[in-house]
Amino acid sequence: MKSLKTVGLTAMIGTMLALSACGGNNDASSSKSSNASKDNGTEQLSGQIKLDGSSTVYPIMEAIVEEYQAEQPNVKVSVASSGTGGGFKAFIAGETDFSNASRPIKDEEKSELESKGIDYTELRLAYDGLSVVVNKDNTWVDHLTLDELKKIWLEDGTAKKWSDIREGWPEEEIKYYSPGTDSGTFDYFDEVILEEQPIAKAATLSEDDNILVQGVTGDKNAIGYFGYAYYAENKDKLKVVPIDGGNGPVEPTNETVESGEYSPLSRPLFTYVKNESVKKEEVADFVEFMIENAADLSEDVGYVKLPDEEYKKDLELIEGLK
């Protein structure tokens, strides 16, 4: 028979073992919780990242952000599409980390950033083929030359009819749908086609490409232009117009945009990142993810990827900023 002393000692040891086991479970639970903060070996980050700018670049960025947030749900990434010009205004004001653009940054925008002490890096994401479209029921426009395109869109004080552009076309007034003046697509069209002369005053302008699509699909005599992805997304409702840049009519496709054959309406798409922002771990992680996935995701949403060498150069630039 055990003495009371022996029984008490046994009970005390049992209690200590129980407490030890309990403590061990807490450690395991803590370790499990720590491991839960990692997903497939990826360290989980947190923070906020803000992007704004081109509506043409928006589908690419939307796809990138969606994929990124699946890996980093605690990093809140917001994407707006106020147009290339609007995006640069927010960038200059210090409101965003990235400014998406469908044209290169202008000299005056560079000067404003310099005056604010904001250093930035230009990154190219993909190629776009600015697409000229007409209504699906338009049976007369088979192609347009650059001169005809300019004649259609240039303001000359008259209400132009299709018959004014080419003999035999209908005597119906042309309806216009164009990106807004804050859009890089507008700037590009203005520079390349209109040669910086006034666009037709009758044109409906909008920063929302979906409104332009709706306008063209709703009027047999309408014409519009926007990024290739928006045409590709709505090709069952629209008719794309081959453009003759001097070597015969060419339709925008992945192949003609990438090769440069669709000239002069093929162009690169950009994002600009603040160098100071890249010093934040979550921004550096996001921009690397963006560059590594831009080729596949840009093609998924209807654009054309860059050569692999260009993405490698971008990654090297970002590595130098970290």
Side-chain angles (χ1 to χ4, degrees):
M1 184 176 182
K2 296 182 180 178
S3 68
L4 290 174
K5 185 176 179 180
T6 303
V7 171
L9 183 59
T10 302
M12 184 174 68
I13 293 171
T15 300
M16 291 174 63
L17 288 171
L19 288 171
S20 175
C22 184
N25 284 341
N26 282 340
D27 290 343
S29 176
S30 174
S31 176
K32 185 177 180 180
S33 175
S34 175
N35 289 335
S37 70
K38 298 188 177 184
D39 181 17
N40 296 326
T42 301
E43 181 183 356
Q44 291 297 282
L45 305 171
S46 62
Q48 291 189 340
I49 304 173
K50 293 184 177 180
L51 305 90
D52 196 357
S54 168
S55 62
T56 303
V57 179
Y58 180 81
I60 301 174
M61 279 303 183
E62 185 181 37
I64 289 170
V65 169
E66 183 178 349
E67 292 291 327
Y68 182 74
Q69 300 234 248
E71 290 194 6
Q72 294 286 358
N74 296 324
V75 180
K76 306 306 177 187
V77 188
S78 62
V79 191
S81 58
S82 62
T84 297
F88 277 124
K89 288 174 186 174
F91 198 58
I92 292 163
E95 297 169 0
T96 55
D97 302 292
F98 292 83
S99 192
N100 303 324
S102 56
R103 59 159 172 79
I105 188 169
K106 294 179 178 179
D107 288 340
E108 53 265 38
E109 292 161 342
K110 291 180 183 179
S111 297
E112 289 186 67
L113 285 164
E114 186 177 352
S115 69
K116 294 286 185 72
I118 298 173
D119 294 324
Y120 60 89
T121 298
E122 177 187 278
L123 304 170
R124 299 214 299 175
L125 296 172
Y127 291 123
D128 177 33
L130 193 154
S131 302
V132 178
V133 297
V134 293
N135 187 277
K136 198 78 171 176
D137 294 329
N138 182 319
T139 58
W140 55 93
V141 176
D142 55 350
H143 75 279
L144 289 167
T145 65
L146 295 180
D147 286 341
E148 288 173 332
L149 198 54
K150 181 177 180 179
K151 188 175 181 180
I152 288 172
W153 284 95
L154 192 64
E155 174 58 41
D156 64 1
T158 67
K160 277 174 276 193
K161 299 178 180 179
W162 285 108
S163 55
D164 297 326
I165 308 305
R166 197 183 296 178
E167 187 178 350
W169 283 1
E171 293 187 12
E172 299 286 347
E173 188 174 329
I174 301 171
K175 305 296 183 183
Y176 308 87
Y177 290 89
S178 164
T181 54
D182 266 345
S183 167
T185 303
F186 175 94
D187 290 338
Y188 190 82
F189 193 83
D190 180 54
E191 178 184 346
V192 172
I193 302 301
L194 299 181
E195 298 175 323
E196 299 185 349
Q197 298 179 70
I199 195 170
K201 291 180 180 178
T204 297
L205 306 180
S206 177
E207 307 296 345
D208 187 343
D209 292 316
N210 293 306
I211 290 176
L212 307 182
V213 170
Q214 292 168 16
V216 176
T217 57
D219 193 320
K220 185 176 180 179
N221 291 296
I223 187 170
Y225 65 93
F226 35 72
Y228 179 60
Y230 285 94
Y231 160 66
E233 187 178 331
N234 296 277
K235 61 171 54 180
D236 58 326
K237 298 183 286 187
L238 296 166
K239 175 181 173 181
V240 73
V241 179
I243 302 300
D244 185 349
N247 296 309
V250 179
E251 182 177 323
T253 65
N254 284 43
E255 291 73 28
T256 61
V257 170
E258 184 173 6
S259 68
E261 186 183 355
Y262 185 64
S263 176
L265 295 181
S266 57
R267 57 184 179 158
L269 301 176
F270 307 88
T271 192
Y272 292 80
V273 61
K274 284 183 183 173
N275 293 352
E276 190 66 26
S277 293
V278 179
K279 294 178 182 178
K280 299 176 184 177
E281 190 175 6
E282 67 274 17
V283 176
D285 187 65
F286 173 75
V287 71
E288 286 179 353
F289 181 92
M290 176 188 73
I291 296 167
E292 289 168 354
N293 292 276
D296 290 338
L297 293 178
S298 62
E299 297 223 324
D300 284 350
V301 296
Y303 293 105
V304 180
K305 66 182 180 181
L306 303 172
D308 290 342
E309 294 73 26
E310 298 221 27
Y311 296 116
K312 289 177 182 176
K313 288 178 184 177
D314 283 351
L315 283 172
E316 289 170 2
L317 283 173
I318 294 304
E319 191 62 33
L321 296 176
K322 290 165 59 177

